[in-house]
Amino acid sequence: MSIQRIKPGTRMSQAVVFGDMVYLSGQVGNAGENPAEQTKTILAKVDELLAAAGTSKSNVLKAEIWLSSMQYFGEMNAVWDAWIDPVNPPARATGESKLATSDFYVEIMITAAKI
């Protein structure tokens, strides 16, 4: 079984496919965007990476969401709820954590199946 690396860089790949599993690295938005805009940007990246891996949001198994402050929970959820496939919601965890820089409010990591 081979390993496929999508958008590899010197430090990490944006996604890794092994067998029927797809693992996305933590995705962040753009500096200057508010939490809702960052979430939209992130989910657009997730859609792109899942498509490159041969799958879609309907096959997301697990999402790990980190917020720089839980005060952004409602804003993030409004965008998330509009994006996620309501017939196939994944397992999900959301927590508060200091992110890489103070410009980031949301980071999302995804694990999906290729079926």
Side-chain angles (χ1 to χ4, degrees):
M1 200 177 308
S2 65
I3 298 172
Q4 175 190 3
R5 298 182 193 285
I6 299 171
K7 294 189 176 182
T10 56
R11 179 170 292 146
M12 64 184 195
S13 295
Q14 292 301 306
V16 175
V17 180
F18 181 70
D20 292 333
M21 297 298 296
V22 180
Y23 305 92
L24 273 57
S25 63
Q27 301 298 310
V28 295
N30 299 311
E33 294 178 326
N34 66 39
E37 292 167 335
Q38 285 189 5
T39 304
K40 287 178 189 175
T41 299
I42 292 164
L43 295 176
K45 290 179 184 180
V46 167
D47 282 333
E48 177 186 317
L49 290 167
L50 291 174
T55 192
S56 71
K57 66 184 171 185
S58 295
N59 298 321
V60 171
L61 302 173
K62 182 180 179 185
E64 297 175 48
I65 302 172
W66 293 105
L67 303 173
S68 63
S69 171
M70 289 308 286
Q71 74 182 15
Y72 306 131
F73 189 71
E75 292 175 74
M76 179 277 301
N77 267 335
V79 176
W80 176 267
D81 290 346
W83 174 81
I84 196 65
D85 178 351
V87 177
N88 298 297
R92 188 183 108 171
T94 305
E96 181 178 290
S97 178
K98 187 173 182 177
L99 301 181
T101 75
S102 61
D103 295 324
F104 297 132
Y105 305 113
V106 182
E107 183 171 353
I108 300 177
M109 293 148 282
I110 296 287
T111 303
K114 278 182 60 168
I115 52 174

